[in-house]
Each structure stands twice: as structure tokens, then as C-alpha cells.
Amino acid sequence: MSEPIKSLPLVFKEPRGRKKPPRHLADLDPAARRVVAEELGLPAFRANQLSKHYFERLVADPSEMTDLPASLRERLVAELLPPLLTPVRTLEADKGTTRKTLWRLFDGALVESVLMRYPDRATICVSSQAGCGMACPFCATGQGGLERNMTTGEIIEQVVDGARAMAQGKIPGGPGRLSNVVFMGMGEPMANYKAVIGAIRRMTDPTPDGLGMSARGITLSTVGLVPRINQLATEGIPVTLAVSLHAPDDELRNELVPVNSRWKVHEVVEAAWEYARTTKRRVSIEYAMMKDINDQAWRADLLADVLQAYGDWGWVHVNLIPLNPTPGSKWTASRKEDEREFVRRLEAKGISCTVRDTRGSDIDGACGQLAAAE
Ligand code: SAH
């Protein structure tokens, strides 16, 4: 089912000679870590000790690694835990339970992540690329174009920072655990597949090899790069798949999600259904509600029919997202009565459906608002 990456358009190729971020523990699987320990002239168990500090204790500060000889700590940290992200600015909303961080990467590229604490869970929304090449006209990230792919280490550092903030009680509500990760920040995760899969493995590998998170708590959102959806289904990590559909018909989707000119609505929905069938995980369909653009009653009916074509065994759930404002966008959020009618029609046809809250919109931290400007 999976084909070689080179046969795919839309996968960002790093220009030759571009400087790479320094090597980081989170870039390496356990076997590669042992190889690096060996290269440094150290026994393999040193790599395990360092992994325990980073993935289990969430510690990267050598002074806290008291089970390692002092001289070795500095060296291991310099070799394997270089700082990859520098916080530039943090904005808070919802009494501190929503926190958006602007990060500078080693080469000056800027990305954002958003931590959201709820009564029963804490979710970090991470970026997988600096910018995005998918050019969806209603999304602030899409307007800026793609700068570069992020590495596995750069993705994981966002997660570890969120996990640390929760563990240390830095978010109101007392110390807690980071339970969920959503690839819904900047970038198209499927266009940076290898690094994203590496990050998912680091998250789901049991401690101390990885963060020991449940795959069920991880959601990957995509515009619908069909071959990559098919490939993800073969990885054996049942993460939740979210597909940004936004329109049930090709005519409108070609405009809202330009990659639709390559993979059509029916191909994307079929791949999503196949993913649900293989992984037994319910797929989410994301649908940003835009006034008089995609929110008509007939489109609700058509959306339900398109999804129902694959049966009503509960394989799919529709998330309606009230459109968040972005600079220069000509579109606005739907009227509440149109939104209600849309929900009613989907439910009448047996499609489960919720309207997403717009957390973080007051700090430009909600869906589609991450532009990473200083
Ligand atoms: N590139 C991936 C990951 C980003 S997820 C994807 O598109 O799925 C960000 C989600 O927010 C996507 O569903 C995206 O379509 C949606 N979105 C983008 N701009 C938005 C806006 N202005 N208002 C509401 N949702 C938006």
C-alpha cells in the first residue's frame, strides 16, 4: 500500500547544503542511542540513563542527573540534549489554562504550540513544519508559505515542554499529566511524514525509551494526502486521524483546500474510511464553518451522504469549527442558526457531530490562527 516517498509530489525537499538542527536524543530510536553512546566511548546503559532523565523525568538539566558522574553529565547533555527551541513569547488565556508559546528554532525559524488544560485532560497542539505549503486561503499559516520541515527532536521538544509544565504544576489546577497531543499547529504533518512518525514513536514508546503516551491520545490532522493516510494505517500505531475536509464537493473544496486538485473528496473520504477499518479508530472530519460558503443546508445533506456511503457503523465523527478570523481573509464564521441547522441535518442522517470550542482565539491561538510572527 505504501509507496516510496520520492514518487509523491508535495513533499518538501530540504535544499541541499541547508544546515540541520543539532542531533538530539529525541531524534534517535533506542538502538541508535546505544550506537551513539558507543561512539562517545560510553557503555550503552549511559544512553538508557539519559533517556530516563529526559523521557521519564522530563529533565534536561545536568545538575539534576545525580546518578551520572558530574563530568559525564555535561558531555552527554552537550552531545544529546542541545536546546532546540528557545521561547520568544508566551500568551495566556482562559485564566492561564490556555497557553500559546512562540518558539525560535536554531536557524531563526519561528513556530508556535498551544497547551490547553481541561478539567479531565491536557492537550498540546504542536507544529510539524515552520509555515505550511498547503495554501488553504482561510488559514493564517497557509498564507505564509512553507519555510522548512521540523525534525523529530523539534516536534518532541514542544511535547516535553508541555508535559513538564503540567508535571511541575505551572498550569492552574495543580500538577497533572499531559494526556493528549494534536498535530494541529503549523504545518501539514503528512508532508513531513518521516519526522512526524518518529515523533509519534517517541511519544508512544514506553518509558524510558519514550514518553509512554497512549496512541489514543494522539491526533494527526491532515488536508488529505491520500498515500500518506494509507501508509499511516500500516504503521501499527492507532493514532486518531483527523481530515480537514471543509467541503463535501470538489468544486468548493478545490478552492478551500488547494491540494484537492490532486486528491478528490471521494478519494480522501475513502482513505479515511479505510483507515478507520484498519485501525478500528473513529476518524474525525474537520469542517470549518464559513458563512454562506460551505454552511448551506444542502451541503450538510451532501456531507452526510458522502460519509454515509461507507456505512453507518460509527466510523466517522464530524467536528464543526466556527471559522476563526485571520488577517486579510474575506470569510467569516457562520450564523449560529445556520450552524444549528447544519448539525441538525447531519444528526438526522445518523452522523455524530460536535461544534468545537474556539479556545485560544483571543490570543490568536485557535485553529488556523498560528502565524508565528514576532
Ligand atoms: N495541515 C493540517 C494540520 C493543521 S490542523 C490540516 O490542515 O489538517 C488545523 C485545523 O484548523 C485544520 O482543520 C484547518 O483546516 C483548520 N483551520 C485552518 N484555518 C482555520 C480558521 N481560520 N478557522 C477555523 N479552523 C481553521
Side-chain angles (χ1 to χ4, degrees), residues 138-139 184-185 187-188 221-223 244 246 286 323-324 326 367-368:
F138 56 92
C139 176
M184 295 190 183
E188 167 51 46
S221 181
T222 177
V223 290
S244 297
H246 305 312
E286 318 285 299
L323 189 78
N324 293 303
T326 60
C367 301

Side-chain angles (χ1 to χ4, degrees), residues 125 128-129 132 134 136 138-141 183-190 220-224 242-246 257 286-290 321-326 329 356 366-369:
C125 176
S128 57
Q129 297 181 311
C132 185
M134 298 298 124
C136 303
F138 56 92
C139 176
T141 312
F183 283 89
M184 295 190 183
M186 299 172 69
E188 167 51 46
M190 292 293 198
L220 189 153
S221 181
T222 177
V223 290
V243 175
S244 297
L245 201 65
H246 305 312
V257 185
E286 318 285 299
Y287 199 103
M289 294 287 284
M290 305 176 207
I321 318 173
L323 189 78
N324 293 303
T326 60
S329 168
R356 178 177 292 170
C367 301
Q369 294 187 311

